[in-house]
C-alpha cells in the first residue's frame, strides 16, 4: 500500500508508516508519477486532483484535510470509482473564533453593539450554523441565506438580496461551486449599506475582486482569488487581511488529520479507528458572553498583528499560511 501526503498536514507523520509506504510532497508538487502507484492521496486545497494527476493511477481514495472540495474534480473521481472524503466541520470552531475576532475589533473601533446590529450569514452549514448560534447568544439580529437548505427544509431563510440589503455585516461561509462563484459582485454589493462590513472566510472566488476593489464597505478577508498571488490593492484596502488561516486552530487541524486517518482505516482495514493526535486536547464548546469574548479573543487570535504581517510581506503568503502557529480553541 502506498499513500502520498501533503507535507504541510500536521500530526500525521509516522501514523501510517507501519502500514504503508508513505511519500510526503508539497501540496502544489504532487506529480502524476507520485500518484501512479498510490492507493491513497491525503491533500489540502493546494493539490488539484483531476485527470492531469489521476489518469491511469491506482488511486482508490482521496482524503482532503479540508471542508471544501473545489480542488477535486468530483465528476472525474465518481466516474472512475475514486472515493473522496472531506473533513467537513473540522474547523468550524476555528473559523468562528476568527469571525469573533473581526466582531470584537469592529466593536472596539466603532462602538458596534450586537443588539443594534444585523448580521447576515451566507452559507449556514457547519461553520455558518456555529456562527449563527453564538451571534444569537450575543444579541445580534441574524439573517440566514442558504438556498440548498431552504429548498430541503423551508423555514426562515432569506434571499441573498435581502441579506445584502438588510445586514450591517455580511459574513460568507459557502462552499465554492458554479452557484457561488462571484455571488458577491457589484450588483450584490450595491444593495448593501455603504458603511457596512463584508467578511469572507469561505473561498476567495465567492467574491469578485474587481467588485470588492470598488466597494465602499469595510472588508475583512481571510481568503482571496488566485491564492497565493493575491491582488495587492485589495490587500491594502482590507481592514483585516489574513493568509487563509481562519480555520487554523490546533483542534481544527487535529480533527482534519483524524478524519483522513479514519478514512484510511475504514477503506483499507487499518487498526487506526478512533485515532486522534495525542499532541492536541480536544476542545469543548462553551457559552461565552459578548463582554468576555471581546476582552479575550485577541489573546488567541490577534487579527491586527496578523494583518500587519501579511500586508508587509504579501509575497510570503504561502509561507505565512504553512508556518502559522495554530491557535487554541477556547469557546
Amino acid at each position: 500500500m502506498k499513500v502520498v501526503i501533503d507535507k504541510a498536514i500536521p500530526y500525521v507523520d509516522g501514523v501510517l508508516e507501519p502500514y504503508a509506504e508513505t511519500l510526503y510532497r508539497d501540496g502544489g508538487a504532487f506529480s502524476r508519477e507520485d500518484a501512479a502507484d498510490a492507493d491513497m492521496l491525503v491533500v489540502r486545497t493546494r493539490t488539484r486532483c483531476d485527470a492531469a494527476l489521476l489518469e491511469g493511477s491506482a488511486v482508490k481514495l482521496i482524503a482532503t484535510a479540508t471542508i471544501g472540495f473545489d480542488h477535486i474534480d468530483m465528476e472525474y473521481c465518481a466516474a472512475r470509482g475514486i472515493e473522496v472524503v472531506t473533513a467537513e466541520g473540522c474547523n468550524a470552531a476555528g473559523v468562528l473564533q476568527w469571525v469573533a475576532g473581526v466582531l470584537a475589533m469592529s466593536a472596539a473601533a466603532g462602538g458596534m453593539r450586537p443588539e443594534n446590529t444585523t448580521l447576515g450569514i451566507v452559507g449556514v452549514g457547519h461553520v455558518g450554523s456555529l456562527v449563527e448560534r453564538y451571534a444569537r447568544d450575543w444579541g445580534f439580529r441574524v439573517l440566514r441565506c442558504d438556498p440548498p437548505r431552504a429548498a430541503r427544509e423551508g423555514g426562515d431563510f432569506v434571499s441573498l438580496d435581502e441579506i445584502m440589503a438588510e445586514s450591517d455585516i455580511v459574513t460568507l461561509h459557502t462552499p465554492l461551486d458554479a452557484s457561488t462563484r462571484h455571488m458577491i459582485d457589484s450588483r450584490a454589493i450595491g444593495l448593501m449599506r455603504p458603511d457596512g462590513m463584508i467578511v469572507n472566510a469561505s473561498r476567495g472566488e465567492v467574491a469578485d475582486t474587481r467588485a470588492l476593489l470598488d466597494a465602499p464597505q469595510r472588508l475583512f478577508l481571510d481568503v482571496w482569488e488566485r491564492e497565493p498571488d493575491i491582488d495587492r490593492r485589495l490587500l491594502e484596502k482590507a481592514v483585516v487581511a489574513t493568509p487563509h488561516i481562519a480555520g487554523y486552530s490546533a483542534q481544527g487541524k487535529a480533527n482534519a488529520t483524524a478524519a483522513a486517518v479514519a478514512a484510511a482505516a475504514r477503506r483499507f482495514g487499518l487498526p487506526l479507528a478512533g485515532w486522534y493526535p495525542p499532541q492536541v486536547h480536544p476542545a469543548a464548546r462553551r457559552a461565552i458572553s459578548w463582554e468576555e469574548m471581546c476582552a479575550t479573543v485577541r489573546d488567541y487570535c490577534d487579527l491586527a498583528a496578523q494583518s500587519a504581517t501579511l500586508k508587509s510581506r504579501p509575497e510570503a503568503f504561502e509561507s505565512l499560511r504553512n508556518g502559522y502557529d495554530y491557535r487554541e480553541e477556547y469557546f
Side-chain angles (χ1 to χ4, degrees):
M1 177 181 174
K2 177 182 174 182
V3 184
V4 186
I5 304 170
D6 184 324
K7 70 179 186 181
I9 294 173
Y11 314 126
V12 73
D13 289 3
V15 176
L16 295 175
E17 276 76 351
Y19 316 102
E21 174 191 352
T22 56
L23 182 65
Y24 293 85
R25 287 283 186 259
D26 286 327
F30 277 51
S31 71
R32 194 161 178 168
E33 291 71 29
D34 294 333
D37 59 346
D39 298 279
M40 178 182 182
L41 307 181
V42 185
V43 303
R44 299 183 306 147
T45 56
R46 293 300 185 253
T47 303
R48 177 67 186 166
C49 298
D50 56 12
L53 178 66
L54 299 168
E55 188 65 33
S57 76
V59 173
K60 304 174 183 67
L61 172 66
I62 299 171
T64 182
T66 63
I67 60 174
F69 49 86
D70 47 282
H71 52 296
I72 300 173
D73 187 333
M74 300 294 284
E75 290 186 8
Y76 177 90
C77 290
R80 284 154 182 80
I82 301 172
E83 181 183 1
V84 176
V85 176
T86 72
E88 61 177 356
C90 67
N91 64 356
V95 178
L96 165 69
Q97 184 171 287
W98 186 91
V99 173
V102 166
L103 297 176
M105 176 185 289
S106 299
M112 179 265 288
R113 291 292 305 172
E115 60 268 22
N116 301 321
T117 305
T118 297
L119 177 70
I121 302 173
V122 182
V124 196
H126 290 283
V127 176
S129 294
L130 199 58
V131 172
E132 176 192 3
R133 169 182 154 188
Y134 278 83
R136 290 192 189 279
D137 286 348
W138 291 330
F140 287 89
R141 176 190 179 220
V142 175
L143 298 177
R144 307 183 303 160
C145 174
D146 192 312
R149 282 192 63 187
R152 292 194 306 268
E153 306 166 20
D156 60 350
F157 295 97
V158 301
S159 69
L160 178 64
D161 283 4
E162 187 172 344
I163 286 275
M164 300 303 291
E166 293 198 21
S167 300
D168 302 290
I169 304 168
V170 172
T171 184
L172 308 174
H173 302 291
T174 71
L176 176 63
D177 58 28
S179 70
T180 61
R181 186 178 297 274
H182 284 187
M183 70 187 303
I184 305 302
D185 56 13
S186 57
R187 189 198 68 81
I189 289 171
L191 298 172
M192 192 177 183
R193 54 186 297 174
D195 61 346
M197 295 166 49
I198 298 173
V199 182
N200 192 5
S202 58
R203 285 289 187 269
E205 291 79 6
V206 169
D208 183 351
T209 294
R210 291 171 297 180
L212 292 179
L213 285 169
D214 292 333
Q217 293 83 8
R218 288 168 292 156
L219 307 178
F220 299 78
L221 306 176
D222 179 59
V223 291
W224 314 78
E225 291 198 276
R226 297 176 295 278
E227 294 176 13
D229 300 317
I230 64 177
D231 190 292
R232 305 298 174 84
R233 297 167 299 166
L234 186 58
L235 174 65
E236 286 306 310
K237 180 178 180 176
V239 178
V240 161
T242 52
H244 202 153
I245 48 76
Y248 274 29
S249 66
Q251 289 77 15
K253 287 296 183 180
N255 294 342
T257 301
V261 172
R266 174 187 50 76
R267 180 63 186 258
F268 300 109
L270 308 181
L272 291 169
W275 176 88
Y276 192 85
Q279 308 95 311
V280 179
H281 297 291
R285 303 281 69 78
R286 70 175 180 93
I288 185 172
S289 70
W290 172 252
E291 290 73 21
E292 182 188 353
M293 185 278 289
C294 287
T296 57
V297 70
R298 185 173 177 176
D299 295 334
Y300 295 84
C301 190
D302 189 344
L303 297 181
Q306 293 163 17
S307 296
T309 298
L310 181 59
K311 289 188 177 193
S312 67
R313 299 172 56 202
E315 74 286 349
F317 186 100
E318 201 73 345
S319 61
L320 291 172
R321 186 184 189 215
N322 291 339
Y324 185 78
D325 187 12
Y326 304 135
R327 59 188 181 270
E328 290 291 319
E329 295 174 11
Y330 75 108
F331 64 86

